[in-house]
Amino acid sequence: MYDVVVIGGGPSGATAAEDLARSGKCVAMIDRDGRIKPCGGAIPPRAITDFLIPDDQLVAKVNTARMISPTGRKVDIPIENGFVGMVDRKDFDPFLRDRGKQAGADCFTGTFLRIDRDADQTAVVFRDKETGEDRSLQTKLIIGSDGARSKVAKAEVPGGDKIPYVIAYHEIIEAPALSVDYDPLRCDVIYDGAISSDFYGWIFPHGKSASIGMGTGIEGVDLKKATADIRATHGLTDCKTLRREGAPIPLKPMDKWDNGRDVILAGDAAGVVAPSSGEGIYYAMLGGRVAATAASAFLETGRSKDLQLARKLFMREHKSVFKVLGAMQNAYYRSDERRERFVSLCHDVDVQRLTFEAYMNKRLIKARPMAHLKIGIKNLAHLTRLVSETHV
């Protein structure tokens, strides 16, 4: 009998399993293994600090972000007083799972099938990868951290079958030499409707490799062609392709993260990816941590209401950030004219500083009211077309 069975061993599930195991709970983690999620791999300093990410997991330390407009204008934003770490999910996810195992979690490799219940027990049924046979784990509680199209969410939590998402696709290539188009210490973000009419494209350095990709929620878009276009425009066509990956990324946190009985969702399964940026690793790991906190409370008290603690803790700290990022995406991603205006705003030093202070520390910065006022006026001027789209 397990206290908790965690379904999915990505950053969210692995974090939940490790936290619970370290607190003395009897934990099992089931992961499919062998799957690498497409991901730019950026993690801010707060993630490195909060989750004790060792330096040897950082394949690059980025000090600049470049915003590229539909017309090709470029704005380089320095990352002051620090860096953004980059990880490769091929290595990062197994590292997190191993850490959970070392903390005491039992790890199984297989595919989740269903949750069985009767009057006496609850069991998670999965197909063991090695034997091909179905196995059953008895448990008191389940954490569903099995991704954006979560089978756990669909079966157990209201609204779990209706999470909006974009499809992300990227290609990992051998890193080219330093050039005007590629810098191993710079992340390039491409706001161009020809690449993605509702999201963006990216070029992110990973040390000896680089991630080139894009995302979209519009059906019928040729993701591979769009990525090939990014590579061609930036002189990366001839770089050797190491692997190709695609997956859905959720766009909005679910209204409910538990079934009021014995299931909590975490990470992409709960929809916790930041709007506008698509950032997911930090929020996934935090989602795993608050799920572990709620699980511990439930196991201690037996009150199903304590399962709600996961969402409450997460939204208490990050609801405002998600709201602002969502408004920004709705305002500026709808046309190339708006994207051009967004890149114009990025010229402003106050925009740069406030944006990266918020990103690095995961909270809105309120210490400079005059800067916020100036940015608000500039936003209004661009959104009402009082100024030209290239006005900075």
Side-chain angles (χ1 to χ4, degrees):
M1 168 65 75
Y2 286 98
D3 292 320
V4 182
V5 171
V6 179
I7 301 169
S12 183
T15 299
E18 181 188 359
D19 282 5
L20 286 164
R22 290 194 185 281
S23 69
K25 301 298 185 291
C26 185
V27 184
M29 176 169 56
I30 303 168
D31 187 71
R32 284 188 296 173
D33 202 11
R35 175 184 175 275
I36 308 169
K37 182 182 175 181
C39 178
I43 55 173
R46 183 167 175 185
I48 296 170
T49 301
D50 286 1
F51 299 103
L52 304 177
I53 307 303
D55 198 67
D56 60 13
Q57 281 296 313
L58 304 182
V59 294
K61 296 179 179 179
V62 170
N63 60 23
T64 305
R66 169 171 286 183
M67 308 297 169
I68 303 174
S69 80
T71 60
R73 289 190 302 137
K74 302 177 180 67
V75 180
D76 286 356
I77 303 176
I79 300 170
E80 299 177 350
N81 304 316
F83 62 87
V84 174
M86 307 298 294
V87 298
D88 192 323
R89 295 291 292 272
K90 172 178 65 69
D91 304 310
F92 186 63
D93 288 18
F95 159 76
L96 294 176
R97 288 193 288 272
D98 288 345
R99 200 160 67 172
K101 186 175 182 179
Q102 291 168 13
D106 291 341
C107 297
F108 299 89
T109 303
T111 304
F112 166 73
L113 297 176
R114 65 185 182 274
I115 298 171
D116 284 346
R117 298 182 180 90
D118 59 30
D120 300 319
Q121 66 179 25
T122 297
V124 173
V125 182
F126 70 100
R127 182 153 296 150
D128 187 277
K129 184 177 181 180
E130 184 176 348
T131 67
E133 298 178 351
D134 292 0
R135 296 187 61 178
S136 180
L137 304 177
Q138 294 183 43
T139 186
K140 300 172 185 175
L141 182 67
I142 299 104
I143 293 178
S145 53
D146 52 333
R149 289 174 175 166
S150 166
K151 291 182 179 179
V152 179
K154 184 176 181 180
E156 295 289 334
V157 179
D161 58 342
K162 300 176 182 178
I163 302 175
Y165 59 84
V166 299
I167 297 296
Y169 172 81
H170 78 163
E171 297 176 357
I172 297 292
I173 65 171
E174 286 187 351
L178 174 67
S179 69
V180 293
D181 289 314
Y182 181 81
D183 187 330
L185 299 180
R186 186 186 72 221
C187 285
D188 292 2
V189 185
I190 303 157
Y191 297 101
D192 185 348
I195 298 299
S196 173
S197 60
D198 60 331
F199 209 54
Y200 63 82
W202 69 81
I203 302 172
F204 286 0
H206 284 185
K208 294 181 180 179
S209 63
S211 165
I212 319 297
M214 53 81 67
T216 182
I218 299 175
E219 292 186 10
V221 173
D222 190 333
L223 285 78
K224 292 184 178 180
K225 181 182 182 303
T227 302
D229 290 344
I230 296 174
R231 292 180 64 167
T233 301
H234 296 269
L236 304 173
T237 300
D238 294 334
C239 296
K240 181 180 178 180
T241 302
L242 303 177
R243 63 181 196 266
R244 298 177 174 88
E245 296 147 2
I249 296 177
L251 291 176
K252 182 181 178 182
M254 289 179 59
D255 293 332
K256 190 174 178 62
W257 292 9
D258 67 271
N259 68 348
R261 180 179 182 181
D262 55 9
V263 172
I264 314 172
L265 303 179
D268 281 11
V272 290
V273 171
S276 178
S277 69
E279 181 194 357
I281 295 178
Y282 169 78
Y283 294 113
M285 297 182 78
L286 178 63
R289 177 150 290 172
V290 295
T293 300
S296 294
F298 170 80
L299 293 168
E300 181 70 24
T301 67
R303 296 181 309 208
S304 59
K305 187 175 182 180
D306 287 342
L307 299 177
Q308 299 174 16
L309 187 61
R311 190 180 190 278
K312 287 179 179 178
L313 288 173
F314 186 97
M315 299 305 285
R316 181 184 300 166
E317 186 170 3
H318 297 288
K319 181 179 180 180
S320 295
V321 171
F322 274 48
K323 185 176 181 180
V324 169
L325 291 175
M328 187 179 79
Q329 181 172 342
N330 290 334
Y332 286 109
Y333 284 21
R334 62 178 59 182
S335 69
D336 273 352
E337 181 207 1
R338 291 289 184 93
R339 293 185 189 92
E340 200 74 42
R341 292 179 181 279
F342 174 69
V343 173
S344 295
L345 282 173
C346 291
H347 279 277
D348 189 284
V349 173
D350 284 319
V351 170
Q352 296 177 11
R353 288 177 177 168
L354 291 173
T355 298
F356 271 97
E357 285 176 15
Y359 171 78
M360 303 280 266
N361 299 297
K362 293 295 168 244
R363 63 178 184 270
L364 296 177
I365 307 300
K366 301 178 181 179
R368 296 201 292 272
M370 291 307 297
H372 282 279
L373 178 61
K374 184 180 76 170
I375 292 167
I377 292 172
K378 283 193 172 185
N379 261 303
L380 184 62
H382 274 286
L383 293 175
T384 57
R385 295 186 174 90
L386 292 176
V387 296
S388 73
E389 57 194 62
T390 57
H391 180 79
V392 298

